Amino acid sequence: MSVPKFTVPALILLAASGCARTGEITEGGISAVRTACPTVAIPAGTGDVTLFDPATSREASAIDVVATITNIQSTCNDAGAQVVTDVKFDVLARRRDAGPARDVVLPYFLTVVRGGTNVEAKRVANVTLHFEAGQLRASAVGTATSSVSHAAATLPDEVRRRLTAKRKAGEESAATDPLSDPNVRRSVLSATFEALVGFQLTDDQLKYNATR
C-alpha cells in the first residue's frame, strides 16, 4: 500500500560546529552534543485512533476499527546544505467484524515544532488500511519527509562559545549554568526542533483518547 510523501520546508536544528562527541570527557567537563537531526516522536494522545459505528456512540460494543502507529524509524542526512529526515512507521489496525474486504483511510500529520511549543510547519497525508475478506487485522506503512536549511537553526557564535567554554573548579563560571541566562536559553530553544508524527484526530477523537 503506497502512501504519499510530503515535505516540511526550511526548519531543523543545527549542531554547533567543533563540539566534542556525545559523552566525551574534556578539560572543562562532560560535553553534551546537539545534533543536526530533529527528535522524532509521537505526541501524547495521537498515536492511536478509534472509529465507532454508529459514529456518535462511545460504547465499547460500538468500536468499529482501532489503529495504532508503531515502529517509527527515521533516517537523517545532514551532509549537505539541507538536512533531510525521512520518517517511516507502521500502522496496525483491527476491526470488530470479519466481514467483506474493506479499505479504511486514516489521515496523519508530520509537524515541526520549534522550542517545544511553536508549530512552524505541518503537513497532512493519508494512509490506507486494506482488510481482506474475513480478516480482522490489517497493516500499512506511512512515510513523511522533512527537508530544512541549516541556517534556520544555527546557534549564534557568542552562545556557542558560552556553551562550550572550558570551566575550572573554583571559578565562579564553573558553578553557573549558561542556560540560566535567559538570552542563552532563548537562543537554544529557538534552535531546537522536533518532528512529530501522529494521527490527525478530530476534537472528539482527542477527547476520547484523553479520557478513556
Side-chain angles (χ1 to χ4, degrees), residues 105 112 145 167:
V105 179
V112 175
T145 300
R167 296 170 177 81

Side-chain angles (χ1 to χ4, degrees), residues 16 20 22 27-28 47 51 68 72 85 101 111 122 134 143 150 152 209 212:
T22 303
E27 184 177 338
L51 306 182
T68 301
I72 287 189
T85 303
T111 298
K122 181 178 181 179
T143 61
H150 274 290
N209 284 357
R212 61 182 177 174

